[in-house]
Amino acid sequence: MTSTLLLEGLGKQIQPPDGPWLFRDLQATITEPTIISILGKSGQGKSTLLRILGRLTLPSCGIMVLDNKDCSQWTPEAWRMTVSYVAQQPMMLPGSVTENLQAASNLHQRIFDVKQARQWMEQIGLDHLDWEKPAQQLSGGEKQRLALIRTLLLRPAILLLDEVTSSLDAVSKQATEGLLRDLHGRMGTTILWVTHDQEEARTTSQRVWFMANGQLLEDTDSQTFFDSPESDEAKMFLSTHPVVAEAAERVR
C-alpha cells in the first residue's frame, strides 16, 4: 500500500492576486508509511492544506506528485481513492447507516466489504448501532466514527484526518486512535492528522509538521519536536499549549 508524496512550492493565497498568503513555498516529501501530526495555532492553514492534498481545494501555486506522477496525470477519482480525506464535521448522506457505509465503495465501484466494516465498527465502539437506522439520527461522535469507517473501506494509501477525534468521548477517542495505529502498522497506511491535542500528537505520531508564519516551519520526528523544537515559534507554541488532560466533556 506504500505511496510516495512530493510537495514542492505549495501555497495558498487568500483573495488573489493581491491578498495575503495563508501559507507558501511548502516543501515536504513522504517516502515511506508514517503518521504525521500537523500542528500550529489556528489560522495557519492546516485544514486548507489537508483539503489541497485531498484535491478538494486548489492550491494557488506549487506541485503535488503522487507515486512519481504529477497530480495533473491523475483523475480526481483515482487520486481520492489513494489519498482520502475525512472532515472534522462529517457529512451524512440521506439514508441508513448501511447506505452511508456503502456510499464510498459504490461511488468508486469497489466491493463493499461488510465483514471488515463490522470488524472496524466493533473496534471503535459502534457495534451497538442498528444499520437500518437513518444516519442523520446518530450523535455527533457516532457520525464522526461512521464517516471514518466509510473512508477506510476504500483502503487509501494516504489518509487525511482533520481533527477526527475532537468530538469523541475519552473511550471512543482511545479506540479510534488504536484503530488508526493498527491500520498503519498492519496495512502501511500513511496518516496526516491535523490535531490540537498535543497528547494525541505525542503518542500517535512519528513525525510532526509545524506550521507558523505562513510556512511549514518544522518537519521533524515527534520526539525531537516535543523535546527540543528548533524554532522560537514552536517553543512558544508548546509553552502556551501544554499537554493537559481534556477538561471539556466530549460528545458521545
Side-chain angles (χ1 to χ4, degrees):
M1 180 179 281
T2 302
S3 281
T4 61
L5 182 65
L6 168 67
L7 311 178
E8 188 171 307
L10 209 62
K12 184 64 176 180
Q13 188 177 23
I14 303 170
Q15 297 179 341
D18 301 317
W21 288 81
L22 192 56
F23 59 85
R24 65 191 307 176
D25 197 30
L26 190 150
Q27 318 278 344
T29 304
I30 299 172
T31 58
E32 60 185 23
T34 187
I35 302 177
I36 300 173
S37 288
I38 306 177
L39 302 179
K41 295 187 296 184
S42 297
Q44 298 301 312
K46 302 183 298 296
S47 295
T48 299
L49 173 60
L50 278 196
R51 290 183 59 81
I52 289 173
L53 297 182
R55 292 187 66 177
L56 300 170
T57 297
L58 290 173
S60 302
C61 61
I63 64 172
M64 299 189 293
V65 179
L66 178 64
D67 293 338
N68 299 313
K69 290 167 50 180
D70 185 83
C71 67
S72 62
Q73 297 177 278
W74 291 77
T75 65
E77 293 77 16
W79 182 283
R80 291 171 190 153
M81 280 193 293
T82 306
V83 183
S84 299
Y85 171 81
V86 184
Q88 181 181 6
Q89 300 295 330
M91 182 182 72
M92 293 291 100
L93 301 173
S96 66
V97 169
T98 299
E99 289 169 317
N100 270 265
L101 285 170
Q102 293 174 335
S105 302
N106 291 341
L107 177 64
H108 294 288
Q109 299 181 332
R110 293 283 186 91
I111 295 174
F112 175 58
D113 190 340
V114 63
K115 181 179 179 180
Q116 182 65 84
R118 289 192 183 280
Q119 179 182 326
W120 281 337
M121 293 278 278
E122 179 178 1
Q123 190 169 347
I124 59 174
L126 293 179
D127 48 314
H128 65 283
L129 286 185
D130 177 0
W131 282 31
E132 298 310 310
K133 182 177 182 177
Q136 295 288 357
Q137 295 180 11
L138 301 180
S139 71
E142 289 170 340
K143 289 177 180 177
Q144 185 65 77
R145 285 173 285 166
L146 181 63
L148 175 62
I149 297 302
R150 182 174 63 191
T151 299
L152 293 185
L153 288 168
L154 289 175
R155 305 296 203 285
I158 299 176
L159 188 60
L160 310 173
L161 305 178
D162 194 355
E163 297 195 60
V164 296
T165 61
S166 62
S167 66
L168 303 184
D169 62 82
V171 173
S172 299
K173 179 176 179 291
Q174 185 176 33
T176 301
E177 291 170 353
L179 169 61
L180 292 168
R181 284 193 298 265
D182 181 62
L183 190 75
H184 167 71
R186 288 192 305 106
M187 302 178 67
T189 307
T190 285
I191 300 173
L192 279 74
W193 194 334
V194 169
T195 179
H196 286 283
D197 185 334
Q198 285 193 36
E199 182 61 25
E200 181 172 70
R202 185 190 290 268
T203 58
T204 61
S205 64
Q206 301 158 356
R207 183 170 163 187
V208 168
W209 288 359
F210 175 69
M211 298 181 69
N213 300 337
Q215 304 171 64
L216 178 55
L217 207 57
E218 297 202 27
D219 176 1
T220 187
D221 70 88
S222 298
Q223 183 173 348
T224 297
F225 177 80
F226 285 106
D227 291 347
S228 53
E230 291 186 0
S231 65
D232 291 338
E233 290 84 353
K235 293 173 184 176
M236 180 65 70
F237 174 79
L238 292 174
S239 68
T240 56
H241 297 74
V243 176
V244 295
E246 186 67 50
E249 181 178 358
R250 296 178 182 271
V251 179
R252 290 189 178 273

